[in-house]
Amino acid sequence: MFLHSVNLWNLAFYALMVFMATLGLWDVFFDFEENKCSMSYMFEYPEYQKIELPKKLAKRYPAYELYLYGEGSYAEEHKILPLTGIPVLFLPGNAGSYKQVRSIGSIALRKAEDIDFKYHFDFFSVNFNEELVALYGGSLQKQTKFVHECIKTILKLYKGQEFAPKSVAIIGHSMGGLVARALLTLKNFKQDLINLLITQATPHVAPVMPLDRFITDFYMTVNNYWILNARHINLTTLSVAGGFRDYQVRSGLTFLPKLSHHTSALSVVSSAVPKTWVSTDHLSIVWCKQLQLTTIRAFFDLIDPETKQITQNPKKKLSVLNHHFIRHPAKHFEENPAIISDLTGTSMWVPVKVSKWTYVAYNESDKIYFTFPLANHRKTYTHAYCQSTMLDTNSWIFGCINSTSMCQQGVDLSWKAELLPTIKSLTLRLQDYPSLSHLVVYVPSIHGSKFVVDCEFFKKETRSIQLPVTHLFSFGLSSRKVILNTSGLFYNIELLNFGQIYQAFKINIVSKCSGVKEEITSIYKLHIPWSYEDSLTIAQVPSSTEISLKLHIAQPENDSNVALLKMYTSSDCQYEVTVKTSFSQILGQVVRFHGGALPAYVISSILLAYGGQLYSLFSTGHCLEYATMLDKEAKPYKVDPFVIMIKFLLGYKWFKELWDTLLLPELDAIVLTSQSMCFPLVSLILFLFGTCTAYWGGLLSSTSVRLLSSLWLALKRPSELPKDIKMISPALLFLTVVLIIVSWATCGAFAILLTYLHYVFKIVHLQASLTTFKNSQTVNPKHSRRSEKKSNHHKDSTAHHLRLSASDAEDSLLMHSTVINLLTWIVLLSMPSLIYWLKNLRYYFKLNPDPCKPLAFILIPTMAILGNTYTVSIKSSKLLKTTSQFPLPLAVGVIAFGSAHLYRVPCFVFIPLLLHALCNFM
């Protein structure tokens, strides 16, 4: 019956929307690089020593605990407190376990063993009882206060020690990182208690799913504090994102706000971190061996030898983090590196006068200095480039000042180099070093190993090639390409017109090599200059390599830099680079950045259909099918133009002042614009996806009601249509009071769920009664017609005791099916707080604070009345016309105020339901 009400064109359209949504979902959840993280293993059995908390604290936070991580002999020794190391506190995130500290804790322990425990770190971890704080924000403030108490407890464990710490370092995973930032907002918190904060996959900008106001209020408090007090916050902070593998927290949310007066914050994607170079998912970021090794190297470099604790010098902290997480020069970190190096000893000095040079070193017995005179090269070339496949940490390239063929001292240029997976490379602009007379490449004496050193001089214009990306709406049907014919080692492909998050492309690099016998490696690096979200691809040539090109962060308006494809190539190969638009990845970006707003668009479509049904009931006396009204009423032009118009008017001062006077919240479209999340036509796409979801959801609910009614008829004897319609009965009043008490004493979402189940039961019962009536009509049509006339007679003779006819029952079922669709989404949006309450039921019987309690108080009596409402009882209502007109502005309101604040959506839904219920009395 549901499918019959939709024509084939509409059905084809809904199927097309499903296909497009599937493409987008596939890109987000499956179309990314394989997990290249190595698993981190414990060499000894991990132990978690529970730290005894003060009794008052344990009583105030019965669900929370503090643990000290250890292994083997270390764990045994540290069971006897106090401690002597450097404290680090790990904060798990949403549904996270305190045991996730074991990966980084174990690696830190192995590193300490390597240096005979000259320094070591003590890793603590907080047990938050795996609370779902990303879905329910009511406990975030409680977690923050508990962490404050934990820090004070940890520092007391070192009391009386010679090098007792005065602060702790914090590693926060997911929402744990946000809790760590929230510490600074506490009234009695001293900022000096934290010396370093590293967050992993933490959504700093906004919540992933704003399902209650407590989450958004918490975010607003934290972010506003950090912005307003940026000048006074000296906490060095590093935020590490997982990249495209992390579909739970998109990397754009993890970037800390860039403030001109807050330079102690860094944000980077794991794929851009030196010696890591992999994308991580939301869980693997805490155990990815490459990333944890980088983190621990940084921790040990941060130690101050005098205090044997993490340095208090903010410049050193930032230098260490830049060294390990941003740009690694293939050298061990030095706080004050020696710029001038001695080039002495028994070494050979070999002059090189050619512009391109390669040296293969194998079993070298003598040290060799290869010198490149720069005087002649400056006349012809603008840049020098050198690379080496020997990835040791020794200095390897220098500059001589005013020398002829050799020099005793040289400028160490190795600190300017960059470490890549298979090479270390250096590019010099010659005019930046006018005092250098020679470039010197050092080849050490080695035994049993082989490496290659290459150098070349070139003009910038020969290695910088512009490649405009294809248009967004080319749908991959057209492409643009460049061919690299010259035998260079390094190229910069400038990707013009690329800088928006809704752009997505596929780059195909085909390499063809001649006369190559050995395996050659090329490196392709996507460099995004306005954010640290670079990614590297290693290819064995000759080959064909495909690279995805899309952004986590849009290019700022005042930024004129161009995204680059840096190619570290082989001089024996020719390369062909092709770029074309990827339609599936564009849809993936829509889902990635705006998928959380889809429920708002679904509910907006259902509200439009609901309004259409109410109006058809008012104008014709009959209710049309849900699918028919969805096709007729759910149109984007009924919603989007109003939102666009309001956004436009808010640009005028007088309208903004009027808006603020009315105490209206900020328009969600403006919030998205501030986060650089504006897609062209994104609202249209989401509306189409929402209408499609509303259609298939309606089909599912209609089918479910029919199946449940069939099951009811199979288990119970057939029931009849209600003889008399009663809005309110003593039993209904009693049930309503009980449910309100349940919502007050336990959890509002639980009461809403019970109300929903009761309402569904009533509709299933009505469907079963109607099915029974139709079956009896088929068996005895004359008796049925008499019954129908009798019911109509009763309907006309009295206004207070209405009798339900079959046609009225069918109309009522059509109306109820739409109400069920609306209620289903309200239940789904309230489920997170219900799950949180059930999970913590052994600690708290009453959820406090409860985001759903006010809604439950209104929704419970409303649905109790609607469960007994039939179309025959509201047809003549004076309020029906007004009720039918309300869903349209409310559908606009859902998009205007609920797409980025989902917890507001139920407030727009209960208003037409309440008016619908009031139609029974007016």
Side-chain angles (χ1 to χ4, degrees):
M1 186 175 180
F2 188 93
L3 286 172
H4 292 317
S5 62
V6 183
N7 62 45
L8 290 177
W9 285 109
N10 289 336
L11 199 60
F13 169 75
Y14 291 136
L16 175 63
M17 288 297 103
V18 169
F19 175 71
M20 290 176 62
T22 303
L23 286 179
L25 291 169
W26 178 269
D27 177 73
V28 172
F29 293 104
F30 302 103
D31 192 17
F32 41 68
E33 67 177 71
E34 62 181 5
N35 194 348
K36 298 177 182 177
C37 280
S38 300
M39 177 65 77
S40 50
Y41 295 97
M42 286 78 251
F43 290 87
E44 296 177 275
Y45 189 78
E47 294 186 33
Y48 306 89
Q49 180 184 347
K50 187 176 178 180
I51 303 298
E52 188 175 349
L53 300 172
K55 290 183 179 179
K56 287 184 178 179
L57 188 62
K59 188 176 181 180
R60 197 187 315 160
Y61 305 101
Y64 299 161
E65 297 168 323
L66 177 65
Y67 288 88
L68 171 64
Y69 177 80
E71 295 177 16
S73 58
Y74 170 87
E76 290 297 322
E77 291 172 5
H78 288 79
K79 285 182 179 178
I80 304 173
L81 304 174
L83 304 173
T84 58
I86 304 168
V88 180
L89 179 60
F90 176 80
L91 303 180
N94 177 58
S97 169
Y98 66 94
K99 295 183 179 180
Q100 289 174 310
V101 72
R102 62 183 177 269
S103 294
I104 194 166
S106 181
I107 291 172
L109 187 59
R110 301 283 85 77
K111 178 76 173 175
E113 288 177 348
D114 291 343
I115 59 174
D116 296 325
F117 284 93
K118 180 182 178 182
Y119 310 112
H120 74 274
F121 289 88
D122 300 318
F123 275 84
F124 297 85
S125 184
V126 174
N127 178 17
F128 285 134
N129 193 33
E130 301 183 10
E131 291 180 336
L132 300 170
V133 287
L135 304 178
Y136 170 75
S139 62
L140 284 168
Q141 191 68 21
K142 185 170 61 176
Q143 287 191 359
T144 305
K145 291 178 179 179
F146 179 74
V147 171
H148 184 200
E149 298 297 332
C150 285
I151 292 172
K152 292 189 285 188
T153 301
I154 289 169
L155 293 177
K156 288 178 182 178
L157 300 177
Y158 296 85
K159 195 173 182 180
Q161 298 301 307
E162 183 181 359
F163 299 101
K166 298 178 181 179
S167 57
V168 302
I170 295 182
I171 298 176
H173 172 239
S174 187
M175 294 298 287
L178 187 71
V179 168
R181 288 180 63 217
L183 285 167
L184 274 64
T185 66
L186 298 178
K187 289 183 180 179
N188 300 321
F189 184 80
K190 296 178 181 178
Q191 191 183 137
D192 296 340
L193 291 177
I194 309 176
N195 52 48
L196 177 69
L197 172 59
I198 296 179
T199 66
Q200 300 172 336
T202 296
H204 292 293
V205 177
V208 177
M209 292 289 284
L211 294 172
D212 67 56
R213 64 180 179 85
F214 304 119
I215 295 179
T216 54
D217 289 348
F218 189 81
Y219 265 90
M220 190 175 296
T221 301
V222 174
N223 286 332
N224 285 348
Y225 181 89
W226 277 65
I227 291 171
L228 295 174
N229 297 277
R231 294 181 185 277
H232 310 292
I233 295 177
N234 298 317
L235 176 59
T236 304
T237 308
L238 171 70
S239 175
V240 183
F244 287 109
R245 278 193 63 84
D246 188 351
Y247 51 78
Q248 293 185 46
V249 176
R250 62 177 179 83
S251 296
L253 291 176
T254 68
F255 277 65
L256 293 160
K258 289 184 178 180
L259 302 174
S260 58
H261 43 269
H262 186 206
T263 57
S264 58
L266 290 174
S267 302
V268 63
V269 180
S270 61
S271 59
V273 175
K275 295 191 175 183
T276 301
W277 295 306
V278 297
S279 177
T280 64
D281 59 54
H282 197 62
L283 292 179
S284 68
I285 198 168
V286 299
W287 58 255
C288 182
K289 187 176 181 180
Q290 297 95 312
L291 183 59
Q292 302 310 323
L293 282 170
T294 299
T295 305
I296 291 303
R297 292 188 198 105
F299 267 119
F300 276 89
D301 282 341
L302 284 165
I303 297 174
D304 184 343
E306 294 183 3
T307 63
K308 294 189 177 181
Q309 296 294 325
I310 288 179
T311 180
Q312 296 299 317
N313 185 346
K315 289 186 178 179
K316 181 180 178 180
K317 292 181 196 176
L318 212 57
S319 296
V320 170
L321 295 179
N322 271 294
H323 179 93
H324 288 283
F325 287 91
I326 305 300
R327 184 184 176 93
H328 199 296
K331 298 267 293 176
H332 289 307
F333 174 79
E334 294 180 26
E335 188 174 357
N336 298 303
I339 301 300
I340 305 298
S341 299
D342 293 328
L343 307 180
T344 57
T346 55
S347 307
M348 294 176 57
W349 286 78
V350 180
V352 180
K353 296 183 179 181
V354 295
S355 61
K356 186 173 182 180
W357 168 84
T358 299
Y359 184 78
V360 180
Y362 182 68
N363 282 337
E364 298 293 332
S365 57
D366 297 319
K367 302 175 184 177
I368 307 175
Y369 288 103
F370 292 94
T371 63
F372 299 80
L374 299 179
N376 291 330
H377 290 312
R378 289 183 191 276
K379 299 175 184 178
T380 312
Y381 305 107
T382 60
H383 287 71
Y385 172 82
C386 290
Q387 65 181 34
S388 173
T389 60
M390 187 175 186
L391 303 182
D392 64 348
T393 56
N394 295 317
S395 297
W396 62 286
I397 188 164
F398 307 89
C400 286
I401 300 175
N402 299 326
S403 66
T404 52
S405 59
M406 58 183 290
C407 56
Q408 292 185 345
Q409 288 186 325
V411 179
D412 191 351
L413 299 173
S414 306
W415 292 102
K416 304 289 184 181
E418 181 183 11
L419 178 66
L420 295 167
T422 58
I423 60 171
K424 52 186 178 183
S425 67
L426 173 68
T427 304
L428 293 177
R429 193 168 69 160
L430 296 179
Q431 71 179 48
D432 292 341
Y433 301 88
S435 61
L436 296 186
S437 59
H438 288 72
L439 197 63
V440 180
V441 175
Y442 171 62
V443 176
S445 58
I446 55 172
H447 300 282
S449 60
K450 179 181 178 181
F451 67 95
V452 180
V453 183
D454 298 277
C455 285
E456 65 175 352
F457 294 85
F458 61 88
K459 285 185 177 181
K460 180 184 177 181
E461 53 268 26
T462 63
R463 302 301 173 83
S464 295
I465 301 167
Q466 294 184 340
L467 178 60
V469 296
T470 49
H471 194 271
L472 178 68
F473 297 110
S474 63
F475 300 107
L477 301 176
S478 62
S479 62
R480 288 173 179 160
K481 69 171 64 176
V482 293
I483 298 175
L484 310 180
N485 285 317
T486 58
S487 57
L489 299 171
F490 173 77
Y491 293 91
N492 269 334
I493 309 294
E494 298 180 3
L495 301 168
L496 303 181
N497 308 321
F498 173 64
Q500 301 301 322
I501 53 174
Y502 54 79
Q503 293 177 297
F505 307 92
K506 286 184 178 179
I507 297 178
N508 188 258
I509 304 174
V510 178
S511 55
K512 299 176 182 178
C513 307
S514 57
V516 177
K517 296 181 181 179
E518 296 183 359
E519 193 175 73
I520 300 175
T521 300
S522 291
I523 300 174
Y524 312 132
K525 178 180 179 179
L526 284 172
H527 174 61
I528 310 301
W530 54 85
S531 62
Y532 298 118
E533 55 176 288
D534 298 0
S535 60
L536 284 84
T537 302
I538 303 172
Q540 304 296 332
V541 296
S543 65
S544 177
T545 305
E546 187 174 88
I547 302 172
S548 292
L549 178 62
K550 51 195 174 187
L551 293 171
H552 299 291
I553 298 287
Q555 185 175 15
E557 291 183 2
N558 57 352
D559 194 308
S560 59
N561 291 306
V562 179
L564 299 174
L565 173 62
K566 294 186 174 184
M567 299 179 62
Y568 300 87
T569 57
S570 169
S571 57
D572 298 319
C573 301
Q574 182 186 37
Y575 295 82
E576 182 181 279
V577 182
T578 307
V579 61
K580 62 180 180 180
T581 301
S582 174
F583 182 63
S584 62
Q585 292 189 63
I586 290 174
L587 293 174
Q589 290 291 80
V590 172
V591 173
R592 182 175 288 108
F593 283 85
H594 294 279
L598 185 62
Y601 284 86
V602 176
I603 291 171
S604 180
S605 296
I606 299 174
L607 280 174
L608 291 173
Y610 183 41
Q613 283 184 315
L614 289 170
Y615 187 76
S616 70
L617 184 62
F618 165 75
S619 58
T620 66
H622 292 283
C623 182
L624 296 179
E625 286 222 11
Y626 168 73
T628 304
M629 296 313 301
L630 193 68
D631 175 45
K632 182 180 178 181
E633 299 293 335
K635 305 297 182 183
Y637 60 78
K638 293 187 175 183
V639 175
D640 283 345
F642 292 98
V643 178
I644 295 169
M645 189 184 305
I646 295 170
K647 183 182 176 183
F648 173 75
L649 289 173
L650 282 170
Y652 292 94
K653 186 178 179 181
W654 65 270
F655 190 81
K656 183 69 169 67
E657 290 175 352
L658 176 63
W659 189 271
D660 294 336
T661 303
L662 294 173
L663 301 178
L664 292 171
E666 189 174 23
L667 200 68
D668 281 359
I670 295 177
V671 175
L672 297 177
T673 302
S674 67
Q675 297 176 10
S676 301
M677 286 175 57
C678 284
F679 279 59
L681 305 178
V682 68
S683 189
L684 173 62
I685 296 170
L686 287 173
F687 197 96
L688 296 177
F689 283 174
T691 305
C692 172
T693 306
Y695 168 76
W696 293 110
L699 176 60
L700 178 63
S701 66
S702 176
T703 305
S704 300
V705 167
R706 291 178 180 277
L707 289 175
L708 289 172
S709 66
S710 300
L711 181 62
W712 176 264
L713 289 173
L715 297 176
K716 303 282 287 185
R717 66 179 183 178
S719 53
E720 297 180 355
L721 291 173
K723 293 182 179 179
D724 295 315
I725 299 173
K726 295 181 180 179
M727 290 301 110
I728 300 174
S729 64
L732 187 63
L733 277 173
F734 176 76
L735 180 62
T736 302
V737 172
V738 168
L739 288 173
I740 289 175
I741 293 173
V742 167
S743 68
W744 175 261
T746 59
C747 172
F750 180 53
I752 290 174
L753 178 63
L754 294 177
T755 303
Y756 172 75
L757 294 175
H758 176 257
Y759 185 81
V760 170
F761 170 77
K762 296 279 288 185
I763 306 313
V764 168
H765 188 269
L766 178 61
Q767 177 70 59
S769 302
L770 182 61
T771 303
T772 302
F773 179 83
K774 287 184 175 180
N775 291 339
S776 66
Q777 187 180 33
T778 305
V779 174
N780 193 352
K782 291 183 179 180
H783 174 74
S784 300
R785 280 195 294 271
R786 285 197 300 270
S787 300
E788 185 76 15
K789 289 179 181 177
K790 189 177 179 181
S791 68
N792 289 333
H793 172 72
H794 277 280
K795 185 168 40 176
D796 296 334
S797 62
T798 175
H800 299 286
H801 299 283
L802 298 174
R803 184 177 178 83
L804 191 67
S805 67
S807 62
D808 289 328
E810 286 186 348
D811 281 350
S812 299
L813 271 174
L814 294 177
M815 185 66 72
H816 285 307
S817 68
T818 306
V819 174
I820 283 179
N821 290 332
L822 285 171
L823 273 181
T824 300
W825 282 99
I826 291 180
V827 171
L828 289 175
L829 291 175
S830 64
M831 282 301 288
S833 61
L834 174 62
I835 296 170
Y836 178 91
W837 174 72
L838 289 172
K839 198 171 185 299
N840 291 274
L841 197 55
R842 57 177 174 163
Y843 301 109
Y844 314 105
F845 186 71
K846 182 178 180 180
L847 183 63
N848 186 31
D850 189 346
C852 297
K853 189 172 292 181
L855 177 66
F857 287 165
I858 300 173
L859 202 61
I860 289 169
T862 300
M863 298 317 301
I865 296 172
L866 280 181
N868 284 347
T869 298
Y870 302 92
T871 54
V872 65
S873 62
I874 64 171
K875 284 180 183 179
S876 58
S877 171
K878 297 177 181 179
L879 191 61
L880 182 58
K881 184 178 180 180
T882 304
T883 302
S884 67
Q885 293 170 343
F886 258 81
L888 175 58
L890 291 172
V892 176
V894 166
I895 302 303
F897 302 108
S899 55
H901 299 82
L902 289 178
Y903 65 90
R904 294 173 181 165
V905 171
C907 300
F908 291 95
V909 173
F910 86 79
I911 294 174
L913 295 178
L914 180 61
L915 293 173
H916 187 172
L918 291 176
C919 286
N920 290 283
F921 309 102
M922 299 175 67

